[in-house]
Amino acid sequence: MAGYLGRVRSQMYDRIIRVNHAGELGADRIYFGQMLALRRKYPEKAAVIQKMWDQEKAHLDKFEYLAGKHRARKSVLVPIWQFGAFGLGFIPALLGPNAAMAVTEAVEKVIVEHYDSQLRELMADDPKVNEDMIKTISQFRDDEQHHHDCALEHDAKLAPGYQLLSSAVENICKVAVKVAEKI
Ligand SMILES: [Fe+2]
Ligand SMILES: [Fe+2]
């Protein structure tokens, strides 16, 4: 029984770590792309983005560490997540900081929902056994919520083509999450 439960739980950790590692790697590349596009022309917005970026780097480091600790298999699509996320950061940011903030708002909205659903799953499995992972994910969830709110405060909604941009980004992120959980 314990063997079976242990196996099911280790599959859950494998999936959770793989998708979160891919997601945090993507977040790191998004902010890198935004900085590249905005740093020179918009130093004040770049300072705001830099703060969020620094937190993403810490998130990524943690999931790098957890992938080693739990021997989780990383996504085979890591190069695609890196390249795609860079484009998602860089290209809309060429339209200006509001478009960059609209991307951030949409991405973080999906990630907060994603982390919330993992937290529900971990609680339902065993809050005590999963305590460390729950702590990590809830802290990151709060950071992502803060990034989301920060993007709204920095005029995400004033981006050109806001509705189209934000629903496109949301859909891309939802598909990426589904894929990165599996492969
Ligand atoms: Fe993050
Ligand atoms: Fe974030």
Side-chain angles (χ1 to χ4, degrees):
M1 192 63 187
Y4 173 74
L5 264 183
R7 224 160 33 241
V8 169
R9 187 169 294 131
S10 97
Q11 281 166 3
M12 175 176 74
Y13 273 67
D14 190 61
R15 166 172 47 82
I16 285 177
I17 292 167
R18 174 165 49 258
V19 63
N20 294 359
H21 172 266
E24 296 297 352
L25 190 62
D28 172 67
R29 294 294 87 188
I30 287 173
Y31 287 112
F32 169 64
Q34 291 182 346
M35 286 297 277
L36 208 61
L38 297 170
R39 199 162 36 195
R40 289 166 66 101
K41 264 175 90 179
Y42 303 94
E44 280 159 32
K45 297 286 177 183
V48 173
I49 292 169
Q50 182 70 52
K51 275 192 194 155
M52 297 193 275
W53 190 14
D54 289 343
Q55 287 184 318
E56 303 298 359
K57 289 178 194 168
H59 296 173
L60 176 58
D61 282 351
K62 180 74 181 190
F63 277 108
E64 284 282 359
Y65 164 77
L66 288 173
K69 185 180 166 196
H70 293 274
R71 297 200 180 85
R73 184 173 57 76
K74 288 182 191 165
S75 174
V76 295
L77 300 176
V78 155
I80 293 179
W81 304 136
Q82 285 177 304
F83 186 74
F86 172 76
L88 203 58
F90 183 72
I91 296 167
L94 296 174
L95 298 172
N98 296 349
M101 293 298 177
V103 170
T104 298
E105 184 214 347
V107 170
E108 302 290 10
K109 183 182 163 210
V110 173
I111 298 311
V112 166
E113 285 167 7
H114 164 71
Y115 278 158
D116 276 338
S117 99
Q118 286 185 344
L119 288 170
R120 284 192 294 272
E121 185 183 5
L122 288 160
M123 294 293 285
D125 174 56
D126 191 329
K128 192 81 202 126
V129 173
N130 298 321
E131 195 179 6
D132 288 349
M133 187 62 94
I134 289 171
K135 239 186 230 164
T136 298
I137 294 178
S138 35
Q139 187 212 317
F140 291 6
R141 192 218 86 100
D142 292 349
D143 291 344
E144 316 299 10
Q145 182 69 55
H146 173 72
H147 299 166
H148 170 274
D149 299 348
C150 172
L152 275 180
E153 279 161 33
H154 286 271
D155 298 328
K157 292 203 163 157
L158 300 180
Y162 170 76
Q163 290 296 345
L164 193 69
L165 180 62
S166 92
S167 66
V169 172
E170 267 185 47
N171 286 322
I172 289 169
C173 291
K174 283 179 188 165
V175 172
V177 165
K178 287 258 179 285
V179 174
E181 281 183 338
K182 295 203 170 66
I183 50 172

